[in-house]
Amino acid sequence: MTVQELPGAAAYRPTPPPAWRPRTDPAPLLPDPEPYRVLGTGAELDRALMLKLYAELVRGRRFNAQATALTKQGRLAVYPSSTGQEACEVAAALALEERDWLFPSYRDTLAAVARGLDPVEALTLLRGDWHTGYDPRRHRIAPLCTPLATQLPHAVGLAHAARLKGDDVVALALVGDGGTSEGDFHEALNFAAVWRAPVVFLVQNNGFAISVPLAKQTAAPSLAHKAVGYGMPGRLVDGNDAPAVHQVLGEAVARARRGGGPTLIEAVTYRMEAHTNADDATRYRGSAEVDAWRDHDPIRLLEDELTARGLLDEDGIRAAAEAAETMAAALREQMNAEPSLTPMDLFAEVYAEQSGQLREQAAQLRAELEAEAR
Amino acid sequence: MTTATDNTTARRADKKPATMAQALQRAMRDAMAEDPTVHVLGEDVGTLGGVFRVTDGLAKEFGEDRCTDTPLAEAGILGTAVGMAMYGLRPVVEMQFDAFAYPAFEQLISHVSKMRNRTRGAMAMPIVVRVPYGGGIGGVEHHSDSSEAYYMATPGLKVVTPATVEDAYGLLREAIACDDPVVFLEPKRLYWSKSDWSPEAPAPVEPIGKAVVRRAGRSATLITYGPSVPVCLEAAEAAREEGWDLEVVDLRSLVPFDDETVCASVRRTGRAVVVHESSGFGGPGGEIAARVTERCFHHLEAPVLRVAGFDIPYPPPMLEKHHLPGVDRVLDAVARLQWEAGH
Ligand SMILES: Cc1ncc(C[n+]2csc(CCOP(=O)(O)OP(=O)(O)O)c2C)c(N)n1
């Protein structure tokens, strides 16, 4: 029996509390029921932008394939491929100005590379020679973040600090569908909305958190719907439609820059490969589902439309493929070189000044290394 | 023109009773006035001035952007502080009570403590996490934990705790100026302890990482910190009647640990008791006793003893007096150091 069914409950009519009213009309915050699309709608396309998106998608796919191959050769400890999600990765990088910041999760190597980061520096973490292989300040890319959703409050804090300083800097934070269940996701969105921080949250909903499908992750109508409760707009976008993702992200970034506050974007996409090279995806999903998504491939979709519109021809396709191949060959070569390791660095950057304890331990390691060398 | 002597006289005249809470507030105020990148944030730190009034007046003086009432979310507070530090600010974060800092542990351990190391020094985390800690104020459940062992076990953090009004000011100033993250443990029951102090000319104190001898003695060393310092000083006074001349070392900084001062003292006295109120098993005392034993074995006349809180969840307020190590428990331990043998 529910409370309403209790005898006599129907007669109970509480008077509304004084002066209570919902603070905003949620309607403008609600996402559209269908993911936003550009491809196939006849919308106008900017040729230069489309060719740039296309080249980056092709390069990104090749990067994923090369990195996965490097795991098989033992050159990378692990690689979480973003094949199938390239449109989200590329749009994320291209939606930002140079002064903006990107807060990637462990799967977002591609976004970092598309933002201009050296591929070898981006892969240091996964190769295992150090955690963050790059200076986050140089490219304004926070370290690739492994504990899920913990980078989201960082993005909010940075955006907040930038705004306090009077800089029109925007932070873009990436998270997976599984990551939206973490407490840090909630706290970050709440802080961002209350502070009206210039942040954009992009959820790449690729269907699975390792093996767990979205239905077991949330009962919300969509992940974009979660925005409403915080008082920020939620947008749903087809994550395999590169121009659509780029446009929606661009609008959210512009809105944040204008002082309009944060946006939550859910990009609906699919992870074509396993979670990482170490995962067996056949245990939790059938090939029919994967095949169905193959027909909605982000590169194919863009290539077909650009070709149909006469914006891209055989030469253009070949040129993009060749550029990607050159990148892959260079990456292979660089990754096949042994990384230079300096064990004494273990103690170098724990504190600004080395403590007595660490000096003692460093001396111990130095002695061990010298003994080994003899 | 005044001579140095005149100055000293003038300073002395300025001194008036101040509480530890006031000294902490003054430290934040002075740091904020000197450095516009210092920001205070936390729950109720603005209009209210914090539940212990340690941030009293800061929002009024520096505005809500510098002293900010955040949403009620500890991971969010510390997580956004990480981003603020990435952009060049120096956040001073208040956790309302020891046991409410736990939701922020993930941020503290995975990011705050490791960021410098992960980024090979490119990105420091000059964050101070202020945590009112410990018991003795009659707080109900979840208001009296001593969590220092968790913090100490996390490389990359400094862990500091003042026991005097002077140190409260001096250590907090240093913590805010420090380029590494500092967990600043404020002994709750000493918030209202007073001392004659001059806010205009605070006496300089030893830097973070240095222990100090609060009371010189020859028969044994009491190694302690934070809320247990006054307990040990009282025990040392009481022990005098029994002919024991106890030295009291106030660690002040748990990380980095001052082996030098501690071991110099133990080598002089030959005996040591570690005193703290957090649980003994897996607690700071075990680490300290081991370090002292490793370094001073040949000087020791007796095993290093520990006087700690029991290995129980912090008890309800009406029973806490049975849990907290008091003067008698310290004296009992001192008695167990086999006095007959050497003295
Ligand atoms: C806090 C935390 N818990 C667990 C993990 C282990 N883990 C790594 S990836 C992953 C699934 C993440 O799924 P999702 O957020 O959807 O991102 P995706 O892998 O699909 O990109 C899990 C459980 C982790 N990295 N961090």
Side-chain angles (χ1 to χ4, degrees):
Chain A
M1 209 188 329
T2 67
V3 175
Q4 279 77 13
E5 289 166 334
L6 284 172
Y12 176 62
R13 291 264 182 285
T15 47
W20 184 87
R21 62 191 168 75
R23 265 197 270 168
T24 50
D25 173 6
L29 306 178
L30 276 168
D32 290 333
E34 270 300 301
Y36 181 73
R37 295 201 171 88
V38 166
L39 297 175
T41 64
E44 219 176 282
L45 298 179
D46 175 326
R47 180 166 192 261
L49 174 64
M50 291 308 124
L51 293 182
K52 171 94 180 136
L53 283 175
Y54 178 74
E56 284 294 340
L57 290 185
V58 172
R59 205 166 80 105
R61 169 116 351 142
R62 188 65 190 87
F63 187 98
N64 278 327
Q66 184 58 63
T68 303
L70 286 166
T71 63
K72 299 201 176 103
Q73 298 157 22
R75 284 294 176 185
L76 285 180
V78 65
Y79 185 71
S81 162
S82 56
T83 290
Q85 303 179 215
E86 291 92 345
C88 306
E89 298 283 315
V90 166
L94 298 190
L96 295 178
E97 301 284 339
E98 208 179 310
R99 63 189 178 286
D100 297 332
W101 274 75
L102 179 73
F103 287 78
S105 82
Y106 64 94
R107 195 182 295 286
D108 304 315
T109 316
L110 220 62
V113 172
R115 190 163 163 71
L117 186 63
D118 177 78
V120 174
E121 289 185 8
L123 288 172
T124 304
L125 166 77
L126 299 166
R127 180 164 64 182
D129 42 330
W130 203 260
H131 303 307
T132 306
Y134 51 91
D135 175 352
R137 281 209 177 79
R138 221 175 111 233
H139 295 276
R140 284 161 292 279
I141 304 171
L144 294 167
C145 188
T146 307
L148 295 169
T150 54
Q151 78 281 16
L152 306 181
H154 305 171
V156 178
L158 181 132
H160 176 63
R163 204 168 60 131
L164 289 179
K165 265 195 175 173
D167 300 343
D168 66 343
V169 165
V170 175
L172 169 61
L174 310 186
V175 66
D177 42 295
T180 64
S181 300
E182 289 281 357
D184 276 10
F185 172 82
H186 156 68
E187 297 191 22
L189 262 70
N190 191 49
F191 271 68
V194 171
W195 286 352
R196 281 180 84 80
V199 190
V200 177
F201 301 97
L202 173 62
V203 182
Q204 295 183 61
N205 172 8
N206 63 8
F208 292 88
I210 308 187
S211 65
V212 180
L214 187 67
K216 288 190 185 168
Q217 204 66 246
T218 180
S222 79
L223 295 172
H225 274 81
K226 296 199 172 205
V228 184
Y230 299 102
M232 72 175 77
R235 306 282 316 263
L236 251 179
V237 62
D238 182 338
N240 288 16
D241 181 332
V245 186
H246 185 265
Q247 186 187 329
V248 169
L249 273 170
E251 285 165 10
V253 168
R255 181 171 174 276
R257 207 184 303 286
R258 281 197 310 273
T263 305
L264 172 66
I265 300 168
E266 173 184 357
V268 183
T269 184
Y270 198 78
R271 195 189 73 212
M272 296 305 290
E273 309 281 333
H275 169 64
T276 67
N277 55 296
D279 168 44
D280 174 10
T282 62
R283 292 182 75 116
Y284 54 83
R285 67 187 190 189
S287 55
E289 180 183 310
V290 184
D291 288 341
W293 276 92
R294 241 179 263 291
D295 292 334
H296 197 63
D297 180 89
I299 299 181
R300 239 246 329 264
L301 291 180
L302 188 61
E303 193 175 292
D304 287 354
E305 173 121 1
L306 295 186
T307 314
R309 292 198 190 204
L311 298 175
L312 181 71
D313 57 13
E314 285 300 318
D315 286 348
I317 293 172
R318 197 175 323 110
E322 277 169 14
E325 208 46 55
T326 308
M327 177 277 304
L331 180 58
R332 232 178 4 252
E333 191 184 328
Q334 284 173 292
M335 294 300 287
N336 279 328
E338 290 298 327
S340 63
L341 300 174
T342 17
M344 295 315 293
D345 278 1
L346 288 178
F347 302 98
E349 299 292 356
V350 184
Y351 296 98
E353 251 179 73
Q354 222 168 61
S355 65
Q357 282 103 281
L358 289 188
R359 275 198 301 275
E360 278 177 23
Q361 290 164 28
Q364 179 194 339
L365 179 63
R366 190 177 296 113
E368 286 171 13
L369 292 170
E370 280 164 7
E372 240 173 66
R374 261 184 258 122
Chain B
M1 210 179 142
T2 50
T3 65
T5 328
D6 287 343
N7 246 339
T8 323
T9 322
R11 270 190 206 166
R12 221 175 273 132
D14 275 352
K15 282 193 173 181
K16 49 182 186 293
T19 64
M20 180 179 280
Q22 286 166 334
L24 292 166
Q25 186 271 4
R26 182 71 187 209
M28 278 182 276
R29 180 181 170 265
D30 289 355
M32 291 171 90
E34 277 172 30
D35 179 353
T37 67
V38 176
H39 284 240
V40 169
L41 59 157
E43 295 157 10
D44 304 292
V45 298
T47 310
L48 183 67
V51 293
F52 293 105
R53 304 292 181 271
V54 178
T55 57
D56 196 21
L58 298 179
K60 202 162 172 217
E61 185 171 351
F62 298 99
E64 285 180 27
D65 283 348
R66 298 280 306 282
C67 179
T68 309
D69 278 331
T70 63
L72 212 166
E74 292 74 16
I77 295 168
L78 192 51
T80 49
V82 169
M84 291 165 77
M86 282 179 162
Y87 207 76
L89 300 184
R90 302 184 89 86
V92 180
V93 159
E94 176 171 305
M95 294 288 155
Q96 204 157 67
F97 279 89
D98 33 54
F100 307 137
Y102 301 148
F105 257 48
E106 159 74 337
Q107 286 293 339
L108 188 72
I109 285 153
S110 293
H111 294 296
V112 174
S113 67
K114 291 180 177 152
M115 190 66 83
R116 172 187 291 282
N117 188 252
R118 292 166 75 206
T119 61
R120 289 198 176 219
M123 207 162 236
M125 282 285 118
I127 297 176
V128 181
V129 186
R130 294 181 35 241
V131 187
Y133 83 120
I137 62 158
V140 295
E141 227 198 341
H142 306 294
H143 288 77
S144 300
D145 287 14
S146 295
S147 358
E148 56 268 34
Y150 307 137
Y151 301 117
M152 288 171 72
T154 304
L157 300 177
K158 293 189 174 183
V159 184
V160 163
T161 177
T164 68
V165 172
E166 290 77 12
D167 261 359
Y169 180 87
L171 284 177
L172 185 51
R173 285 304 304 269
E174 281 212 31
I176 296 172
C178 181
D179 283 334
D180 286 318
V182 180
V183 176
F184 194 89
L185 299 168
E186 300 175 0
K188 261 184 236 106
R189 66 169 137 139
L190 299 185
Y191 269 147
W192 304 282
S193 66
K194 280 190 184 166
S195 155
D196 280 347
W197 186 67
S198 161
E200 305 311 324
V205 297
E206 288 285 331
I208 289 178
K210 280 267 164 231
V212 300
V213 176
R214 291 273 174 230
R215 181 190 195 279
R218 286 176 297 103
S219 344
T221 303
L222 302 180
I223 305 167
T224 188
Y225 57 87
S228 297
V229 171
V231 174
C232 288
L233 289 171
E234 200 185 324
E237 281 311 303
R240 222 166 38 169
E241 290 166 19
E242 322 235 348
W244 303 335
D245 181 20
L246 300 181
E247 183 146 308
V248 178
V249 175
D250 173 2
L251 294 173
R252 303 167 75 253
S253 161
L254 297 169
V255 183
F257 188 84
D258 184 358
D259 289 303
E260 209 177 309
T261 305
V262 170
C263 291
S265 172
V266 176
R267 286 190 191 114
R268 274 195 302 275
T269 63
R271 293 177 165 85
V273 183
V274 189
V275 183
H276 58 64
E277 65 176 67
S278 80
S279 296
F281 190 85
E287 172 66 30
I288 296 166
R291 300 185 80 81
V292 168
T293 307
E294 283 170 359
R295 286 165 177 75
C296 310
F297 185 70
H298 294 293
H299 299 265
L300 286 172
E301 310 275 349
V304 180
L305 298 182
R306 286 171 292 167
V307 176
F310 295 128
D311 300 327
I312 55 170
Y314 197 85
M318 295 177 81
L319 293 172
E320 69 179 349
K321 64 173 185 293
H322 301 293
H323 168 73
L324 293 173
V327 170
D328 288 344
R329 238 174 249 169
V330 176
L331 292 176
D332 283 350
V334 168
R336 277 189 285 131
L337 290 170
Q338 305 165 11
W339 293 97
E340 320 73 42
H343 292 256

